[in-house]
Amino acid sequence: MSESSPLSGGPARPPFRHPSRRDLLRGSSGAVLALAAGAALSACGSSGGGGQGGDAATGKVTVWSWTTAATALRSVVPAFEKAHPGITVDVVDVGNPAIWDKITVGLASGGQGLADVLHIGCDYLPGYLEKFPGGLADLSALGADRYKGAFARGLWPVVSGRDGHAYAMPWEVNPLGFYYRKDMFDRAGIDPTAYRTWDDVIASAGKFRQANPGCYLIGIDKSATTAPDCDFLQSLMQLQGAFYFDLQGRVTLGSPQAVKALTVIKKLNDAGLVGDASGDHGWSKLVKADKVAVSPLPAWAAHYLETEFPKQKGQWRLARPPAVTPGGKRAAIVNSTHLAVAASSKRRRAAFAFVEFALTRPDSMNRMFRAGGVFPALTAAYSDPMYAQPDPYYGGQPVLRTFTGLLGEGADATNYSGDYARALKLASDAQVKVFLKGGDPATVLHSAARQLAQQSGRRIA
């Protein structure tokens, strides 16, 4: 990658970051449910919230994170310790997926053995709040609410409990992007930036295929051979402000928005625009073979494409995603990660001081972005000149500015809930039926929603 890239120094993310989480969700999420079924709930409840005991403002604060994010956190420790001489910070790279099992076991045992600060993904946080009430400190009681408007819109509800209090602070945000191969679309005489909806994309199928024989618009593991491949389906729902659950925790897997999302995928497939990315590294193989023209992926993929496919330098561009419906939103936050404080910590105030220093100061957030490639949720960070820096891989386009612009449009909050693993499996099964058996999107999703409601005990919205 060119040294002038705005993402240089940030390590590459794995392809389809979310499926890697899905693999561990099948195990760890089940562990959460099993452990929570016993006396773990009362144990966690006894650990108390952020305002009772354990409020030391000095001492050694331990932070749990993983790989590149741990590197990012370490980059701000010297400045923090200089500003807070009574506090030292130890950032521990627990590893992913090991961190989820350690947090789960710790919460289930009433907080025993937990670090003071916990790095938690958006697909785990709701489950921890639901299954282990009292396990995470009430950050609103420590002053977090004064930053409520400082982060990208759509994130604060994600870190809030049903009582409206914050139990984590937003760190990483991943807005959806529309990466496209300019050379392929140029051959077809199509300007992807003119797309307004995904129906516009589908309407151009004939021209695209004629100019690019043997190529596809997107790649999806149609049979879900290695893991559920529902990133695109989820993104299409999130563009409509929908997901498998609403913010009240009700099942919305069979909602009109979900049906519309799967219908778009069916239409793309019927038009011959979906390549089968089955098998290990199936998607990467298609992209490397110049068989995929569009990658609807989050911000982290900007660096991944540069690193994984260097020979395609200058061929990729980034645009705003098309809306799902005419006049609909073109911005979506597809995933995020957060920092929480364990309620069992004896140094909650010191721990929150570190969280506050790392996540609410533009210089801290941008230092972590440069060190670990973690896209900041703090909107004040975007005034740094690096966000307007051209990237040679994308033909000199300032890709980071596209993402900050999308975040400025505002996105809706997503509730993964504690039953995300169940919902993902059922959604994947429904998508496979559409791909392999010609299933009707409405029929398969309504059936999946009923199963999800039965399995989870949740109501259908």
Side-chain angles (χ1 to χ4, degrees), residues 63-392:
V63 182
W64 280 357
S65 184
W66 65 87
T67 56
T68 60
T71 300
L73 286 166
R74 290 189 187 111
S75 72
V76 301
V77 169
F80 172 78
E81 291 182 343
K82 183 177 181 180
H84 299 78
I87 306 174
T88 59
V89 178
D90 179 24
V91 178
V92 181
D93 180 356
V94 179
N96 186 344
I99 190 170
W100 309 118
D101 289 332
K102 285 179 71 70
I103 293 176
T104 298
V105 171
L107 288 173
S109 62
Q112 295 182 27
L114 284 177
D116 303 292
V117 177
L118 308 171
H119 184 192
I120 302 177
C122 60
D123 41 3
Y124 283 91
L125 182 61
Y128 290 151
L129 292 177
E130 290 177 9
K131 307 303 178 184
F132 306 113
L136 299 179
D138 180 350
L139 300 189
S140 292
L142 296 174
D145 287 353
R146 63 178 173 271
Y147 302 111
K148 187 174 183 179
F151 302 97
R153 282 180 289 173
L155 289 181
W156 201 257
V158 177
V159 301
S160 300
R162 292 184 178 178
D163 58 2
H165 293 198
Y167 289 88
M169 292 277 276
W171 177 12
E172 175 185 20
V173 63
N174 272 302
L176 178 68
F178 185 86
Y179 301 88
Y180 67 91
R181 284 282 299 268
K182 184 176 184 297
D183 55 327
M184 292 186 183
F185 283 99
D186 283 350
R187 282 198 293 268
I190 300 171
D191 178 11
T193 64
Y195 287 144
R196 293 293 176 264
T197 67
W198 280 95
D199 284 334
D200 294 338
V201 180
I202 295 165
S204 68
K207 291 180 65 177
F208 175 83
R209 294 187 64 198
Q210 184 176 5
N212 299 280
C215 296
Y216 306 97
L217 198 74
I218 61 175
I220 298 177
D221 184 351
K222 296 183 180 182
S223 58
T225 51
T226 57
D229 189 357
C230 292
D231 281 6
F232 185 44
L233 174 64
Q234 292 178 174
S235 296
L236 292 175
M237 285 191 284
Q238 290 167 314
L239 282 168
Q240 303 172 82
F243 201 62
Y244 304 137
F245 310 93
D246 63 17
L247 294 183
Q248 288 72 48
R250 298 173 298 185
V251 174
T252 51
L253 180 54
S255 68
Q257 293 89 344
V259 172
K260 176 65 176 177
L262 190 52
T263 299
V264 167
I265 292 176
K266 185 179 187 304
K267 288 181 178 179
L268 286 167
N269 190 57
D270 292 345
L273 295 175
V274 180
D276 189 4
S278 60
D280 291 337
H281 309 292
W283 181 83
S284 296
K285 290 176 182 177
L286 283 177
V287 176
K288 182 171 281 189
D290 298 308
K291 297 293 185 181
V292 172
V294 169
S295 294
L297 293 173
W300 60 258
H303 182 79
Y304 171 75
L305 292 175
E306 292 187 45
T307 304
E308 189 71 10
F309 312 108
K311 293 182 179 179
Q312 296 175 2
K313 178 181 178 179
Q315 297 173 339
W316 286 96
R317 296 292 188 276
L318 177 67
R320 298 165 66 212
V324 177
T325 57
K329 281 195 173 185
R330 302 181 65 175
I333 295 173
V334 298
N335 54 54
S336 55
T337 66
H338 320 283
L339 292 182
V341 175
S344 56
S345 169
K346 294 180 172 59
R347 295 161 292 277
R348 285 197 291 273
R349 291 195 180 279
F352 179 71
F354 177 71
V355 171
E356 186 177 34
F357 186 91
L359 304 188
T360 67
R361 296 161 51 99
D363 58 337
S364 295
M365 286 290 253
N366 286 327
R367 184 180 293 115
M368 291 194 294
F369 186 24
R370 291 184 178 96
V374 181
F375 200 97
L378 184 72
T379 57
Y382 307 153
S383 60
D384 190 289
M386 73 173 168
Y387 293 92
Q389 188 175 341
D391 191 325

